Amino acid sequence: MLSETDLAAPFRRLSRFRAAVFGAGIACGLFGVQYLLAVSYSGAPAAWTLALSVIALAGGVAYPAFLRSPSGRFLVLRVIGGGMLGCLMALIHAATLASLAGWPGSEGWTALMLGEATLLGAVLAGCGGALTTPIGMAAGGVACLAGLALMHGFARLALGGNPVPDGILFTVAGIAGVMVTLLIGAQLELYGLLIGRSHLDRFRILADALPIPVMLTTADSEKLIFTNEITRRQLIRADGTAGLTQVEGLYVNPDDRQRLIDTLHRDGAVEGHMVEMRRADGSTFWALGSARAISFDGRPAILSGFVDITDRKLAEEALLASEVRYALISRAANDGIWDWDVPSGTVYYSSRWREIVGAEPGRRLNSLDDWFSRVHPDDLPALKAAIDDHLNGATPQLDIEYRLRHGDGRICWMQSRGIALRRKDGAPIRMAGSQADITLRKTYEINLRNAAYEDRLTGLNNRAYFTHLVDTRMSEESIRNTAIVLFNIDQFRRVNDTLGTASGDALLIAFARRLASWVKPQDALCRLGADEFSVWLTEVADHRAATQLANSILSDLSQPYTLGDAQVPVTISAGLATASIGGARSGSDMLHNARLALDRSKQLGEGSCSLFDEQLLAETKLRQRLSRELANAGRLNQIYLEYQPVVALSGNGQDRVAGFEALMRWRHPELGLIPPAQFVPLAEEAGLIGSLGMLAIEHAAREIAQWTEAGLANESFSVAVNLSARQISDPTGVQRLYALLDRLTLPVGRLKLEITESVLMNDPDEMAETFRGLRNRGVELSLDDFGTGYSSLSYLHRFPLNVLKVDQSFVTRMLRSPEALRLVRSIIELGHDLGLAVVAEGVEAADEVECLRGLGCDYGQGYFFSPPVPASQAEKLLRTGLIQPRP
């Protein structure tokens, strides 16, 4: 194979030193010849002869300078310069011989000598280019000697008259001609090599710059002629032998090489021929080859190049495997596949997709309209919006459920999922996904939701449904021209307690049916709790129309109900809220407003309907303000205590002060005195009742200590402070209460803590343990408002109680109601049987006092004796000792 190394070898064999020595030798030879001729033939002056010889010497030394560069740039310059120098030397030589022979007029001999001189110049000119090879050096030397001998032979013939034999002359001339011919041939071969090398240099530079293997092989593709750098680095083995010359070893499959040759012979070129090739280290790779038949150095050859496509091949195989897996998974998942080319708008639908939607066999489907035209009109806007949101980057993927009309006309539920493929700038170019028929699952969900949203007793919607409805109406537009009415059956527990739960259930069913007769199909009727119902009215003009309708419904619902053989009269309370008044902006606001209106109805009395209006809105804002400011009221000394006397009911009519009940008061700097009924519920809602209760105990303990130190408190004297249900039920609050009592230094029995009856039923075992902890710290316990709760009498003996307080609702009615009187008598007897002192609350008249004395009640408390008074007036009452009843 021709390589750069082989092409440059002749030029490296002749060094600059050898060229200079060779030239110097020629110059010395010429100098000697000129000098000898000048001396032997004419005896010419040595100075003249020496000058001519120096000129010849200068020419001989200067000429080898043209041999220093083997490149083609100085080829023409060397030929021209060599010829001119040879002709100059020949002319000088001929002129010298002619002058010595005395030929100034001999034209024939002068022409002959000039011809021989020209021949010598041509020979020397050829030597200038051919001396770079061994053959050229030998041929040039022989030609020079033959030319000189021929010229000197003629010269001697002319000067001496001694003829030279023709045979010798012809022999010498023939040798000179042959040598000149060989010299010219060597020169032409050198020119060819130089031109070929110039073309190969350009090819090598271009080929080495390519990032792919390029090779030039023989026409049978068996031998390598040329390879570029990346080919030698990747495909040729380190020894450079077998891999360098054998092409067959580069192909993993020998048939690939044969197919390449056959295609070249048939078409003259090959494009995109995929083959598997072997690297120098033995590893294999996939390549995409291209080849073309060319002529190189007059012989047919094959020029080929190969692009490594291993990564693409692996990616194609992985993609094929992924597509196979995806197809199998899709078929196993029973999903239909869709693939949307976003720029063109073309959509591919799989056969399963077509089957799911019931498309006609053979019908062409390739657009979004083929999909959207089947979607339910009510669900189509949501589907389009979901797709647009994903294309715009608002959602990570498409996931939506919608209804679709099947080809057979039935409505099916579908679920579509998809994801978009994007360019680097984020623009979508493709979106693909799946569609599954979820009709069966959706049917189950709807049935379950209906069951979850249904009240089993009445068949109405339940609280969960109403809550869902409220959550979906979260804008002013969604509640426009609507109203919410809440109905509550007053004293429903009394019906259950007196007539039984079966009668209570029958009442609820009858109530629901009567209420349903007033509700339109577009309205929502729900049962929110045991005895609470709601109606969300639609198409309501304003609050006046809603109020009129609510009152009409309330009037009908308040008619007696037939439960078995009995006619049961009931009263109904209602709360109304509308979107047109009250500042509601959502369904949750309306429900909150309706709840506040129902609370006000209960405060006003049974059987009333209240509208959440501007007045109630102002009250609500006031409650919100008080809730915020109550947190700092204790720290700002706005909370204080008033004391209402607890009077011992003696048989002789001398009523003395036995103690006090401490009642909390709040004096607001701007709003004045805030009644406990207004701020205590706020404190419980805000979680402040615990800290306020601790504050009340500290104030009461301080007053007890002062009155005891002043000698105003006897051994039976005590002050009662109310404890809230939240305070006594909270373990943390109980521990804080224990810590406060441990810090106080009060005599045993001086402090009483009052709890309501409902507290006892909140984990009785835990309450009993808490009460024992309080008794161990010297605190007595009073059960307040007894008779209004639902505690079991069997539990009373389990609690370490000291006092039983009769609720004022029984005391105020006992003179008018025999039933109430019997109840008060029973409570007093029960308390005494349990060893408890009994206090009657709400005593307002003298005859009530006398009745209580007759029943054996121990203590009385109420406005008949004294209203709650500040601590200073309470101290005066203690100093007096006796209570002067109010007239």
Side-chain angles (χ1 to χ4, degrees), residues 331-493:
R331 292 182 63 183
N334 206 28
D335 290 351
I337 306 301
W338 52 271
D339 187 355
W340 175 25
D341 187 343
V342 178
S344 66
T346 303
V347 185
Y348 162 78
Y349 301 103
S350 68
S351 58
R352 178 56 183 160
W353 193 97
R354 299 167 60 94
E355 180 183 348
I356 288 175
V357 302
E360 298 177 4
R363 181 180 177 182
R364 184 179 181 183
L365 304 179
N366 60 358
S367 67
L368 284 178
D369 187 63
D370 294 326
W371 178 6
F372 292 163
S373 62
R374 304 170 185 271
V375 179
H376 195 285
D378 293 342
D379 297 343
L380 182 58
L383 174 60
K384 290 182 176 180
I387 294 176
D388 292 340
D389 288 344
H390 178 60
L391 292 179
N392 296 332
T395 57
Q397 66 177 7
L398 170 69
D399 191 349
I400 187 173
E401 298 178 357
Y402 53 90
R403 290 165 295 175
L404 181 144
R405 183 176 296 278
H406 194 270
D408 58 10
R410 57 190 173 91
I411 299 297
C412 301
W413 277 96
M414 299 290 169
Q415 182 178 31
S416 277
R417 295 186 176 95
I419 193 167
L421 178 66
R422 306 175 185 275
R423 295 198 303 258
K424 292 183 178 180
D425 59 358
I429 58 176
R430 205 172 196 87
M431 186 175 180
S434 63
Q435 178 173 266
D437 189 337
I438 60 170
T439 304
L440 185 60
R441 174 174 67 85
K442 203 67 177 179
T443 302
Y444 287 153
E445 290 180 359
I446 293 173
N447 292 337
L448 289 174
R449 184 169 63 249
N450 291 338
Y453 286 163
E454 182 180 345
D455 179 63
R456 294 185 178 181
L457 178 63
T458 62
L460 303 179
N461 294 317
N462 58 13
R463 176 184 291 273
Y465 176 80
F466 196 77
T467 302
H468 170 73
L469 191 61
V470 169
D471 292 339
T472 58
R473 297 180 177 179
M474 297 301 295
S475 64
E476 295 186 28
E477 181 65 26
S478 63
I479 63 173
R480 182 174 299 174
N481 298 329
T482 66
I484 293 179
V485 187
L486 298 181
F487 297 96
N488 184 260
I489 303 176
D490 299 325
Q491 300 299 327
F492 175 73
R493 290 186 178 180

Side-chain angles (χ1 to χ4, degrees), residues 252-379:
V252 175
N253 186 358
D255 294 339
D256 291 338
R257 183 175 69 90
Q258 189 59 45
R259 284 196 299 270
L260 178 67
I261 296 174
D262 295 343
T263 304
L264 277 173
H265 289 167
R266 185 182 70 247
D267 302 332
V270 175
E271 299 291 341
H273 182 69
M274 186 179 298
V275 294
E276 187 176 9
M277 305 188 71
R278 183 178 289 105
R279 297 188 180 93
D281 58 3
S283 61
T284 62
F285 67 98
W286 282 95
L288 198 63
S290 298
R292 187 174 298 277
I294 64 171
S295 177
F296 181 79
D297 197 17
R299 293 175 295 177
I302 299 175
L303 178 63
S304 56
F306 301 91
V307 178
D308 189 341
I309 61 169
T310 303
D311 293 340
R312 192 186 80 180
K313 185 73 173 177
L314 295 176
E316 290 176 352
E317 293 176 354
L319 179 60
L320 178 59
S322 176
E323 290 176 349
V324 172
R325 287 195 299 270
Y326 186 71
L328 291 175
I329 292 173
S330 298
R331 292 182 63 183
N334 206 28
D335 290 351
I337 306 301
W338 52 271
D339 187 355
W340 175 25
D341 187 343
V342 178
S344 66
T346 303
V347 185
Y348 162 78
Y349 301 103
S350 68
S351 58
R352 178 56 183 160
W353 193 97
R354 299 167 60 94
E355 180 183 348
I356 288 175
V357 302
E360 298 177 4
R363 181 180 177 182
R364 184 179 181 183
L365 304 179
N366 60 358
S367 67
L368 284 178
D369 187 63
D370 294 326
W371 178 6
F372 292 163
S373 62
R374 304 170 185 271
V375 179
H376 195 285
D378 293 342
D379 297 343

Side-chain angles (χ1 to χ4, degrees), residues 721-790:
V721 179
N722 290 282
L723 283 182
S724 71
R726 288 193 178 184
Q727 187 176 5
I728 200 67
S729 301
D730 180 21
T732 303
V734 171
Q735 293 301 321
R736 291 175 180 173
L737 179 59
Y738 285 168
L740 175 61
L741 295 176
D742 292 339
R743 190 171 68 252
L744 299 176
T745 57
L746 293 175
V748 177
R750 286 286 190 267
L751 179 65
K752 284 186 174 67
L753 296 180
E754 293 189 359
I755 57 175
T756 59
E757 190 176 356
S758 60
V759 175
L760 299 181
M761 305 310 296
N762 184 16
D763 195 351
D765 295 334
E766 183 69 24
M767 288 297 102
E769 183 66 26
T770 300
F771 292 164
R772 282 192 289 270
L774 294 174
R775 284 289 299 270
N776 294 336
R777 288 166 173 79
V779 176
E780 294 186 351
L781 298 174
S782 297
L783 186 59
D784 197 10
D785 300 332
F786 184 75
T788 59
Y790 300 92

Side-chain angles (χ1 to χ4, degrees), residues 592-719:
H592 176 71
N593 295 346
R595 181 74 61 190
L596 294 176
L598 180 61
D599 292 341
R600 185 166 70 172
S601 294
K602 289 184 172 296
Q603 293 173 4
L604 294 176
E606 299 177 352
S608 62
C609 177
S610 299
L611 170 67
F612 186 87
D613 51 12
E614 297 299 335
Q615 179 181 355
L616 189 53
L617 178 62
E619 294 176 3
T620 302
K621 291 182 178 179
L622 176 60
R623 286 172 55 87
Q624 294 173 350
R625 176 185 177 184
L626 294 179
S627 296
R628 293 193 303 268
E629 298 180 359
L630 183 58
N632 297 320
R635 181 176 57 83
L636 299 176
N637 296 322
Q638 298 174 5
I639 302 296
Y640 67 97
L641 297 181
E642 287 187 344
Y643 300 88
Q644 187 173 33
V646 177
V647 178
L649 301 178
S650 60
N652 57 10
Q654 297 294 321
D655 301 327
R656 59 180 179 82
V657 178
F660 294 101
E661 179 181 357
L663 301 173
M664 193 178 302
R665 299 291 185 263
W666 180 16
R667 180 176 286 108
H668 193 279
E670 298 179 6
L671 303 177
L673 188 63
I674 308 297
Q678 187 173 1
F679 74 82
V680 170
L682 296 179
E684 292 186 353
E685 293 175 4
L688 301 174
I689 193 64
S691 59
L692 293 179
M694 301 284 280
L695 181 63
I697 292 175
E698 288 189 63
H699 285 186
R702 184 168 57 249
E703 298 298 339
I704 292 173
Q706 292 179 0
W707 294 332
T708 302
E709 184 178 354
L712 301 177
N714 55 28
E715 294 181 357
S716 62
F717 176 81
S718 64
V719 175

